[in-house]
Amino acid sequence: MAADSMEIDDALYSRQRYVLGDTAMQKMAQSHVFLSGIGGLGVEIAKNIILAGVKALTVHDTKQCTKWDLGINFFIHEDDITSQRNRAEATLHRIAELNPYVHVAASAVPLDETTDLSFLKQYQCVILTEVSLLLQKKINDFCHAQQPPIKFISADVYGICSRLFCDFGDEFEVLDTTGEEPKEIFISNITQSNPGIVTCLENHPHRLETGQFLTFREVNGMSCLNGSTHQITVVSPYSFSIGDTSDMEPYLHGGIAVQVKTPKIFYFERLEKQITNPLCLVADFSKPEAPLQIHVAMLALNHFQENFGRGPNIGCLQDAEEMLKIAMSVSETLENKPQVNGDVVKWLSRTAQGFLAPLAAAVGGVASQEVLKAVTGKFSPLQQWLYIDMLDIVTPLEKMGCEEFLPRGDRYDALRACIGDSLCQKLHDLNVFLVGCGAIGCEMLKNFALLGVGTGQDKGLVTITDPDLIEKSNLNRQFLFRPHHIQKPKSYTAAEATLNINPYLKIDSYINKVCPATENTYSDEFYTKQDVIVTALDNVEARRYIDSRCVANLRPLIDSGTMGTKGHTEVIVPHLTESYNSHRDPPEEEIPFCTLKSFPAAIEHTIQWARDKFESSFSHKPSLFNKFWQTYLSAEEVLQRIKSGESLEGCFHVIKTLSRRPRSWTQCVELARVKFEKYFSHKALQLLHSFPLDTRLKDGSLFWQSPKRPPFPVKFEFNDPLHYGFIMSAAKLFATVYCVPFTEKDLSEETILKIISAVKVPEFRPSNKVVQTDETARKPDHIPVSSEDERNAIFQLEKSIVSNEALENDLQMKPISFEKDDDSNGHIDFITAASNLRAKMYNIEPADRFKTKRIAGKIIPAIATATAAVSGLVALELIKVVGGYPADAYKNCFLNLAIPIMVFTETVEVRRTEIRNGISFTIWDRWTIYGKEDFTLLDFINAVREKYGIEPTMVVQGVKMLYVPVMPGHIKRLKLTMQKLVKPSADKKYVDLTVSFAPETDGEEDLPGPPVRYYFVQEDN
């Protein structure tokens, strides 16, 4: 984003633009930010805001690099320590590399009580980490007093506790508090009353909140509402009131209510005042008192540092007692005099010298988003404190001796001070499988490197896989990649970059998808070698598959994901929790076929229609064409076969395509012009022929009423940029699929105008074909071909052969794969023009190219702040999994950094299913039966009964029913061997079967059982 032109580099920032919007992006690109302290937390914040694209960042630090830094700062290397470099200078070029549009400077001048703070006036935002509380107060007072105020953020991580504070001045205006798209609600009725009640369409809840504002359009009858804005009160999920409508005209039909975003003022107090009466965000509702308790503990720590000129010693119980006394007196100075939590104070004291890098990643993600809010005014700021503690991690370590936590002189001393040496060793010896090396994957690898995962001398390995290549748009948040890595495999590149952070990491990288087709690579044996699986995926289907593999092989799984500023983490532990597949999100609502084809009501419908047209014209039909001519080698052969009465699948469409094939640029432009007429004029005329504007339904209501919108034909205008854009993009795509060359001159306006002026556009002739109006009807798979069409096909093919237009080159097309991120290919240009022309035809508000690209490309908005926060939380849960913690220690998290909220919840305890007679199972149970070569199905059933006390009545393998007594011939199968029934491949040692049992009373459904793993031969133990 060059500051002079303020143009946004969409190839780099596209995913983030969908989160922040262009206004915020441009404000950000003009902002100057100052960050003091480039330790483990500072470097996280610097990374995230540089990736986001501020104009300039100054990183300030007065400390030298030490061995300790290797375990907390991923941009400090061993040679920085030997060279005794300053931390800011050592990291400068490495953080600057993250984004060429951001100017990064380093400063090592002292910042203390005597410093003249006037140099801060050049910055819009100041962030302090590793700064004493006294100095924080002084700098905060200075920032708050400026006009306009300099936005102030302070953040710290000490051991197991973290603190984040924001002060954006007395009044801080936010134009968009949530970043959500304004809701559009289709109206079915408005009462003439005081207050007037607005009812939505059936089965479409409005999801509004009392106090929000709406504006109205397209209301028939009560038309004075159109263009007016009203504050609403929610009456029910399907209705709301808008004030007095009793004097208005009666409502007839139609109407859309659109949410209006209104600015909101947020009020902030200075740090000095907030210390005594803090306003805190509660992250764990099971412990609403926790933020104040951590507030007291961290203030006590600050006082300890001031009193003794040092922090409490690692694991020192005497210092912990001293800090507890300080905490008691601190609590008395606060307005609410909160209760002191001795455990929090004690563990903070014991670990304060240490540092949990994943906690810094989580807090750094949140803090960075607050920086972006400060400089853009987008999203609701944090008011005013966020505290997160990791008491769950240290509580089970209570009985460990003090020596466990003491430094050993290596890069893991900061971590060891928090979790002890034994747990560090377990992390080193860990075998972990990371699926996906995108944004979360890169962040996870950084966390693994800092934790020393997979660095053990004899044990430990990180295995990663990702089938994708690096694209420019990845560089905005996948921070291990640089411009020279574009088009290289993500996994190999990420592995190499991770070794720069920690060269002792052992890492295997693959470029396979994890799916049923790769089970030879990712076999049961592979999974059983892993201690934990971590997913960094972007789709539900892959998550479900990997979850099923983890359950089958009794492996823990930690899943996470983000969408814009939202994120989630989920921990799945064998025998303790439910699995990912235990809960199902509602399926995505599909747009009904008839809505797409004939009755669009929203821009999303026209974009999907245009996307389908692209797929059909430029990908699907060309692929079918090529497939047909690979099956039948010549036009003469096909002609002979259909003349002899053979029915060749798809031949009618293929011959039609061949006979109409454009063979010159002129014909491509002509075809585009004819398509324009067909799509945007004839289609409207046909619908109005089938359903005139005054058509009424059986109940007397109008056919054309909300949400159905009547279409009106679009008259082609060469000088209309939208019309011209459609012709150009369609003609270029037709030329590509039909292998027609074109020159720069061909693309000139003069050439196009000349061609179009000579086109004979076919006149509209109404047809009597039935228009589908049933919303439940699906798109038909095959449209039957009439005998007349077949006769016509023979005639057309004969004509092509005679004209020498069915030669080898004519029987080939070049299908196009949709690619949203290459602006030169014209794909999004075509979809935008086609969608907006259809929107114009139906009087729907059009969408710009940017919005069209997001919807057509199904782009998931993404930003580095949420990714960093989520991966930090995953790594914290990983420590608990490695430690074999009890169920109540694990936490799932949902966060939305925009609002901001962060909610920790306990994992869902695994459900136990009762079969009968005290026999029960969970999803994690697997029964095992060992057979031999002549083992029959009857032997298997008897073996289950003898071993587990219940006789199966049904045996299923995947989707294949091996034994269902009511099925004909199945009783005979009892005598067949398991080998014959299952037909295993030579290397297959076992098969997983599903069994069910007879119900206790007749007429009820069979009772499900756990999976049964049947081994074909007895295994040697």
Side-chain angles (χ1 to χ4, degrees):
M1 223 170 347
D4 50 355
S5 69
M6 290 312 297
E7 256 192 48
I8 296 170
D9 182 347
D10 188 61
L12 176 65
Y13 290 115
S14 66
R15 306 308 187 261
Q16 183 178 287
R17 280 177 85 182
Y18 293 120
V19 181
L20 297 177
D22 285 6
T23 306
M25 289 283 292
Q26 286 167 343
K27 281 184 183 173
M28 192 164 58
Q30 294 170 304
S31 60
H32 295 72
V33 178
F34 177 83
L35 166 65
S36 180
I38 197 84
L41 179 56
V43 75
E44 281 285 349
I45 296 170
K47 161 178 65 77
N48 297 335
I49 60 178
I50 289 172
L51 288 170
V54 295
K55 182 176 184 179
L57 172 69
T58 302
V59 290
H60 166 266
D61 202 296
T62 54
K63 295 177 183 172
Q64 271 189 0
C65 299
T66 64
K67 192 111 184 177
W68 191 272
D69 287 307
L70 294 175
I72 67 174
N73 184 323
F74 44 87
F75 279 148
I76 288 178
H77 299 164
E78 293 197 357
D79 62 325
D80 298 320
I81 297 154
T82 50
S83 307
Q84 298 186 323
R85 288 195 187 105
N86 166 277
R87 294 198 301 186
E89 285 159 8
T91 52
L92 177 69
H93 71 279
R94 291 169 194 143
I95 55 175
E97 268 185 351
L98 292 168
N99 191 338
Y101 292 115
V102 180
H103 176 72
V104 187
S107 166
V109 297
L111 183 63
D112 54 34
E113 301 295 320
T114 62
T115 305
D116 176 4
L117 298 179
S118 57
F119 77 96
L120 292 175
K121 289 181 180 180
Q122 63 187 297
Y123 300 104
Q124 282 77 54
C125 182
V126 167
I127 312 141
L128 303 181
T129 70
E130 302 183 22
V131 171
S132 74
L133 190 60
L134 282 172
L135 188 52
Q136 284 183 42
K137 289 180 193 174
K138 182 184 174 183
I139 294 172
N140 173 244
D141 286 344
F142 175 84
C143 291
H144 195 101
Q146 302 309 304
Q147 286 303 327
I150 299 167
K151 315 303 180 287
F152 174 89
I153 295 170
S154 69
D156 280 301
V157 171
Y158 288 107
I160 61 152
C161 291
S162 69
R163 166 174 69 196
L164 173 61
F165 172 78
C166 295
D167 170 14
F168 295 172
D170 288 332
E171 293 186 1
F172 179 71
E173 185 180 56
V174 173
L175 297 176
D176 182 354
T177 56
T178 66
E180 301 292 337
E181 288 269 325
K183 296 183 179 76
E184 289 200 355
I185 295 110
F186 286 96
I187 296 165
S188 69
N189 189 44
I190 307 172
T191 61
Q192 250 183 318
S193 55
N194 186 11
I197 305 292
V198 181
T199 308
C200 319
L201 282 183
E202 207 177 352
N203 300 325
H204 289 81
H206 53 69
R207 296 191 174 93
L208 295 168
E209 292 171 20
T210 294
Q212 290 179 328
F213 288 85
L214 298 179
T215 183
F216 291 84
R217 67 169 197 254
E218 299 176 35
V219 176
N220 288 278
M222 209 175 267
S223 54
C224 60
L225 278 178
N226 292 327
S228 64
T229 301
H230 297 261
Q231 192 169 18
I232 65 126
T233 303
V234 170
V235 176
S236 79
Y238 296 93
S239 61
F240 52 87
S241 64
I242 56 167
D244 193 355
T245 58
S246 51
D247 293 337
M248 296 181 187
E249 293 287 307
Y251 171 81
L252 294 175
H253 64 84
I256 298 171
V258 184
Q259 187 187 352
V260 178
K261 297 257 180 179
T262 49
K264 183 175 176 181
I265 303 290
F266 288 83
Y267 303 95
F268 288 86
E269 292 179 339
R270 296 171 190 235
L271 178 61
E272 183 79 64
K273 191 168 182 192
Q274 272 288 304
I275 280 174
T276 56
N277 189 19
L279 181 61
C280 300
L281 182 74
V282 177
D284 186 341
F285 291 106
S286 68
K287 300 188 295 184
E289 69 290 345
L292 271 182
Q293 292 175 348
I294 308 167
H295 182 72
V296 170
M298 291 192 85
L299 287 176
L301 174 65
N302 294 129
H303 285 295
F304 187 103
Q305 289 164 331
E306 285 166 24
N307 294 351
F308 296 99
R310 64 171 178 87
N313 288 322
I314 294 168
C316 176
L317 298 178
Q318 198 176 342
D319 282 356
E321 285 301 319
E322 183 61 38
M323 209 166 102
L324 190 58
K325 286 179 199 164
I326 296 171
M328 294 292 189
S329 58
V330 164
S331 173
E332 289 302 310
T333 66
L334 305 190
E335 282 191 28
N336 289 337
K337 298 185 172 39
Q339 193 178 356
V340 174
N341 183 324
D343 285 341
V344 171
V345 176
K346 179 183 70 182
W347 276 110
L348 175 58
S349 173
R350 288 178 64 172
T351 63
Q353 299 262 14
F355 192 89
L356 276 175
L359 181 56
V363 178
V366 183
S368 314
Q369 190 69 56
E370 294 307 310
V371 176
L372 304 189
K373 293 173 189 178
V375 299
T376 64
K378 175 94 177 205
F379 303 140
S380 303
L382 170 69
Q383 290 202 294
Q384 287 187 246
W385 302 84
L386 172 66
Y387 284 103
I388 303 173
D389 74 276
M390 282 298 126
L391 207 58
D392 289 336
I393 285 181
V394 291
T395 304
L397 310 178
E398 183 72 53
K399 294 191 173 72
M400 279 189 181
C402 183
E403 65 286 349
E404 270 278 331
F405 300 87
L406 296 177
R408 310 281 164 104
D410 63 18
R411 63 170 62 222
Y412 307 112
D413 279 345
L415 174 65
R416 190 177 284 112
C418 296
I419 66 170
D421 190 60
S422 301
L423 208 40
C424 282
Q425 290 304 323
K426 284 182 180 176
L427 285 166
H428 300 340
D429 292 344
L430 195 70
N431 289 331
V432 59
F433 181 33
L434 173 67
V435 189
C437 300
I440 291 176
C442 285
E443 293 282 343
M444 282 314 311
L445 285 168
K446 171 256 297 176
N447 293 331
F448 291 168
L450 295 175
L451 292 172
V453 169
T455 57
Q457 282 189 326
D458 305 317
K459 293 189 219 159
L461 177 69
V462 175
T463 306
I464 62 175
T465 190
D466 194 308
D468 291 345
L469 300 179
I470 296 161
E471 295 169 4
K472 187 175 178 181
S473 64
N474 300 149
L475 304 183
N476 174 233
R477 62 207 177 282
Q478 301 176 18
F479 87 103
L480 296 179
F481 307 143
R482 302 289 176 269
H484 62 270
H485 293 139
I486 290 170
Q487 287 306 299
K488 290 184 177 175
K490 283 186 179 180
S491 62
Y492 297 161
T493 311
E496 197 180 323
T498 307
L499 292 174
N500 287 331
I501 301 172
N502 187 342
Y504 304 101
L505 203 79
K506 288 174 284 179
I507 188 162
D508 270 358
S509 42
Y510 295 86
I511 51 172
N512 310 327
K513 219 174 162 180
V514 183
C515 60
T518 55
E519 281 185 15
N520 283 342
T521 304
Y522 308 115
S523 59
D524 289 343
E525 192 181 353
F526 171 84
Y527 277 94
T528 50
K529 283 179 183 169
Q530 307 307 318
D531 297 305
V532 62
I533 285 82
V534 177
T535 47
L537 296 159
D538 61 1
N539 69 89
V540 170
E541 190 186 347
R543 285 189 175 98
R544 291 202 181 288
Y545 171 72
I546 290 164
D547 176 73
S548 68
R549 300 289 286 133
C550 290
V551 171
N553 291 287
L554 305 179
R555 298 294 94 185
L557 168 67
I558 313 179
D559 176 58
S560 61
T562 68
M563 190 165 103
T565 56
K566 301 184 184 88
H568 80 270
T569 66
E570 183 174 4
V571 196
I572 293 148
V573 186
H575 304 296
L576 297 182
T577 71
E578 289 283 70
S579 79
Y580 184 84
N581 281 306
S582 304
H583 54 80
R584 289 205 171 257
D585 293 330
E588 266 189 59
E589 271 187 48
E590 272 190 22
I591 304 168
F593 171 62
C594 71
T595 302
L596 278 181
K597 191 165 173 61
S598 306
F599 307 114
I603 195 66
E604 288 78 6
H605 302 160
T606 70
I607 292 170
Q608 187 58 52
W609 172 87
R611 176 78 174 79
D612 291 348
K613 274 281 171 272
F614 178 96
E615 206 60 39
S616 162
S617 303
F618 309 121
S619 179
H620 185 61
K621 282 178 184 171
S623 297
L624 290 179
F625 186 89
N626 288 350
K627 192 177 173 187
F628 183 87
W629 292 115
Q630 282 158 8
T631 310
Y632 308 104
L633 299 179
S634 73
E636 289 80 4
E637 180 198 341
V638 169
L639 183 62
Q640 193 181 343
R641 285 186 171 211
I642 53 178
K643 273 187 170 177
S644 66
E646 260 192 79
S647 175
L648 308 183
E649 193 184 341
C651 87
F652 169 67
H653 296 292
V654 165
I655 293 167
K656 188 170 142 188
T657 303
L658 178 66
S659 66
R660 295 180 182 181
R661 180 179 188 128
R663 294 163 192 285
S664 66
W665 172 248
T666 298
Q667 288 178 343
C668 290
V669 176
E670 287 171 351
L671 180 57
R673 175 65 187 89
V674 169
K675 291 289 185 191
F676 182 101
E677 203 67 18
K678 178 186 172 185
Y679 295 158
F680 311 118
S681 176
H682 291 186
K683 174 71 180 175
L685 294 167
Q686 178 60 48
L687 271 169
L688 293 172
H689 169 78
S690 301
F691 304 105
L693 288 174
D694 56 0
T695 304
R696 292 191 177 268
L697 299 168
K698 285 176 185 172
D699 64 1
S701 60
L702 281 168
F703 177 84
W704 292 111
Q705 64 167 309
S706 182
K708 282 194 180 72
R709 312 167 77 90
F712 296 96
V714 178
K715 188 175 184 301
F716 181 77
E717 298 281 351
F718 184 82
N719 293 325
D720 187 316
L722 186 57
H723 300 200
Y724 182 75
F726 174 83
I727 298 295
M728 278 293 282
S729 57
K732 280 170 34 181
L733 290 168
F734 282 129
T736 304
V737 294
Y738 288 110
C739 310
V740 173
F742 55 89
T743 64
E744 279 301 312
K745 191 184 175 201
D746 288 332
L747 300 175
S748 71
E749 219 169 288
E750 189 186 341
T751 307
I752 304 288
L753 179 59
K754 191 177 170 186
I755 297 168
I756 281 180
S757 304
V759 176
K760 287 190 173 67
V761 178
E763 278 187 27
F764 170 67
R765 286 197 179 85
S767 84
N768 293 319
K769 68 179 180 183
V770 175
V771 177
Q772 181 60 263
T773 58
D774 179 3
E775 288 202 358
T776 60
R778 303 188 76 80
K779 185 178 180 178
D781 292 332
H782 293 291
I783 298 164
V785 178
S786 67
S787 54
E788 189 186 337
D789 287 336
E790 283 176 1
R791 283 195 299 278
N792 197 16
I794 292 171
F795 169 72
Q796 286 176 338
L797 188 54
E798 280 177 333
K799 190 177 163 191
S800 296
I801 292 168
V802 170
S803 314
N804 279 336
E805 289 183 344
L807 303 174
E808 192 178 339
N809 280 352
D810 300 313
L811 307 183
Q812 285 177 1
M813 287 175 74
K814 186 182 173 186
I816 294 174
S817 293
F818 174 65
E819 173 46 62
K820 58 188 176 289
D821 285 320
D822 178 0
D823 288 346
S824 66
N825 64 20
H827 299 186
I828 295 295
D829 295 335
F830 171 83
I831 290 168
T832 305
S835 165
N836 283 341
L837 279 163
R838 189 166 170 85
K840 190 174 182 180
M841 179 168 115
Y842 282 95
N843 195 24
I844 293 168
E845 194 74 25
D848 61 13
R849 188 181 190 282
F850 180 56
K851 181 176 179 177
T852 304
K853 177 176 167 179
R854 174 176 65 80
I855 296 169
K858 293 185 166 62
I859 291 174
I860 299 170
I863 190 164
T865 51
T867 308
V870 156
S871 63
L873 295 171
V874 167
L876 291 166
E877 294 306 312
L878 177 79
I879 295 171
K880 300 176 193 174
V881 171
V882 172
Y885 282 26
D888 59 0
Y890 301 105
K891 292 283 187 286
N892 294 337
C893 181
F894 170 77
L895 56 85
N896 184 349
L897 301 184
I899 305 180
I901 60 162
M902 197 175 209
V903 181
F904 291 101
T905 56
E906 287 193 0
T907 55
V908 179
E909 187 183 349
V910 66
R911 194 165 54 88
R912 183 160 286 281
T913 303
E914 294 285 335
I915 304 174
R916 62 163 176 262
N917 304 337
I919 300 166
S920 64
F921 68 95
T922 74
I923 54 165
W924 298 103
D925 289 324
R926 187 175 64 220
W927 293 355
T928 312
I929 298 294
Y930 292 98
K932 51 190 179 190
E933 208 168 316
D934 58 353
F935 215 68
T936 64
L937 179 58
L938 184 60
D939 291 333
F940 170 79
I941 290 169
N942 289 336
V944 172
R945 188 189 62 226
E946 283 166 27
K947 190 170 180 182
Y948 296 105
I950 189 163
E951 184 174 320
T953 50
M954 193 157 78
V955 183
V956 178
Q957 177 196 358
V959 293
K960 181 179 162 191
M961 293 188 175
L962 296 184
Y963 177 64
V964 183
V966 295
M967 298 277 278
H970 275 220
I971 297 294
K972 291 178 185 172
R973 291 186 176 183
L974 291 170
K975 293 177 183 174
L976 294 178
T977 65
M978 293 296 283
Q979 293 268 9
K980 197 165 187 178
L981 270 173
V982 173
K983 300 184 180 73
S985 55
D987 59 338
K988 197 81 171 150
K989 293 180 180 176
Y990 56 81
V991 63
D992 287 326
L993 304 171
T994 306
V995 296
S996 51
F997 309 98
E1000 293 196 55
T1001 52
D1002 288 346
E1004 289 185 7
E1005 285 193 14
D1006 281 7
L1007 304 168
V1012 179
R1013 182 162 284 186
Y1014 172 72
Y1015 287 85
F1016 296 105
V1017 289
Q1018 183 75 37
E1019 286 219 319
D1020 298 326
N1021 290 330

